[in-house]
């Protein structure tokens, strides 16, 4: 069993080390991660310059690219053997609801969609590493049990772990993605030379966060597991779109 591990917080992130430690005695693990924080990189690929892998003293491979670059190279020739499974994280910060559109953590897992087994993206609901052992515990439990899963190809499991000690976790819930309200406006700044710039503001609060959603589960103290697929086709829209298109001819 070979696992490719990546993240978007960067190769030196504590969550990456915690995930690797949790899985290292379960499978043959290879870490390929960005050389710096690439949060919010989504599924971007680097196409304007070459990528240079560097093997660090701890055996991790650092790459001057995005999370998707890391997994793409790992599955397409950088490694002598192709991995069986892709696992991403442990992200310091939630990836709930609409966050999955921007998340480099989820994007790294999505790039593993070509493999036969489902990929995992793990996130802890905190910017601090205090409860990383809780997240690492559930990462191990879920990955260990993945061979019993019967899921269609190109499925990713997005897992969010509450920022709680292990003994305070109430269980695991299967959830759907909730939705956030619109984000706050970008924050305008002016540098000492008068040049204007903007900081992207914080994500909006949960707007659709009721029972059954990932937002609700983690707020109630449960680990949230949400199955994701890349196909975003809105099949129900065909009924209204077909006559609309025919009317244009």
């Amino acid at each position: 069993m070979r696992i490719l591990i990546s993240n978007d917080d960067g190769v030196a992130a504590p969550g990456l080390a915690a995930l690797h430690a949790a899985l290292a005695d379960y499978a043959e693990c290879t870490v390929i991660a960005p050389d710096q924080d690439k949060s919010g990189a989504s599924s971007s690929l680097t196409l304007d310059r070459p990528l240079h892998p560097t093997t660090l003293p701890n055996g991790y491979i650092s790459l001057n690219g995005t999370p998707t670059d890391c997994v793409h190279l790992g599955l397409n020739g950088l490694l002598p053997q192709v991995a069986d499974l892709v696992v991403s994280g442990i992200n310091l910060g939630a990836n709930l609801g609409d966050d999955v559109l921007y998340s480099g953590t989820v994007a790294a897992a999505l790039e593993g969609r070509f493999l036969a087994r489902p990929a995992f993206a793990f996130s802890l609901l905190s910017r601090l590493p205090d409860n990383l052992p809780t997240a690492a515990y559930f990462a191990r439990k879920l990955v260990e049990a993945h061979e019993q899963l019967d899921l269609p190809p190109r499925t990713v499991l997005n897992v969010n772990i509450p920022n709680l000690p292990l003994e305070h976790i109430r269980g695991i819930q299967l959830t759907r993605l909730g939705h956030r309200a619109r984000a706050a406006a970008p924050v305008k700044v002016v540098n000492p030379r008068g040049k204007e710039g903007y900081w992207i503001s914080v994500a909006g609060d949960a707007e659709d966060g009721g029972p059954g959603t990932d937002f609700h589960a983690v707020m109630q103290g449960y680990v949230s597991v949400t199955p994701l697929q890349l196909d975003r086709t809105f099949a129900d829209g065909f009924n209204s779109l077909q006559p609309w298109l025919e009317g244009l001819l």
Side-chain angles (χ1 to χ4, degrees):
M1 176 72 174
R2 292 180 294 275
I3 297 178
L4 174 57
I5 300 175
S6 193
N7 74 346
D8 73 354
D9 286 343
V11 72
L16 184 71
L19 182 59
H20 179 256
L23 300 176
D25 67 343
Y26 167 71
E28 179 185 332
C29 296
T30 301
V31 173
I32 308 177
D35 61 0
Q36 55 187 291
D37 191 330
K38 289 292 184 179
S39 297
S42 188
S43 290
S44 58
L45 286 169
T46 301
L47 303 176
D48 61 347
R49 55 183 169 80
L51 299 168
H52 300 288
T54 302
T55 302
L56 305 179
N58 63 0
Y60 294 2
I61 298 173
S62 174
L63 191 73
N64 60 327
T66 68
T68 301
D69 289 330
C70 293
V71 178
H72 186 81
L73 262 64
L75 297 181
N76 292 285
L78 181 62
L79 303 179
Q81 293 180 299
V82 176
D84 302 300
L85 182 69
V86 171
V87 180
S88 179
I90 299 168
N91 192 66
L92 290 184
N95 278 305
L96 300 164
D98 305 286
D99 299 343
V100 302
L101 296 173
Y102 311 104
S103 168
T105 303
V106 175
L110 283 170
E111 192 61 16
R113 65 190 180 276
F114 299 106
L115 301 180
R117 299 176 180 179
F120 289 85
F122 292 102
S123 301
L124 175 68
L125 272 71
S126 177
R127 297 293 180 186
L128 300 174
D130 303 42
N131 287 309
L132 268 177
T134 302
Y137 171 84
F138 283 103
R140 174 62 180 253
K141 293 287 284 186
L142 290 167
V143 171
E144 271 187 331
H146 85 277
E147 292 189 48
Q148 284 75 56
L149 278 172
D150 182 17
L151 289 170
R154 300 180 179 236
T155 302
V156 171
L157 297 181
N158 186 42
V159 182
N160 282 273
I161 301 99
N163 183 35
L164 296 169
L166 182 59
E167 62 270 20
H168 292 166
I169 298 290
R170 298 176 64 186
I172 304 175
Q173 286 189 354
L174 183 63
T175 60
R176 66 172 176 86
L177 294 177
H179 296 285
R180 292 190 183 275
R182 188 172 179 172
V187 178
K188 183 178 179 179
V189 294
V190 181
N191 73 14
R193 294 176 178 80
K195 186 173 183 179
E196 295 179 355
Y198 293 87
W199 282 102
I200 297 295
S201 195
V202 296
D205 294 329
E207 187 173 58
D208 172 17
T213 67
D214 47 3
F215 286 103
H216 188 268
V218 294
M219 291 303 104
Q220 298 300 312
Y222 291 91
V223 174
S224 166
V225 178
T226 307
L228 307 176
Q229 285 204 306
L230 187 64
D231 186 356
R232 297 179 185 174
T233 305
F234 177 41
D236 290 344
F238 279 46
N239 292 333
S240 59
L241 282 167
Q242 188 60 46
W244 176 71
L245 289 172
E246 290 172 355
L248 298 178
L249 301 177

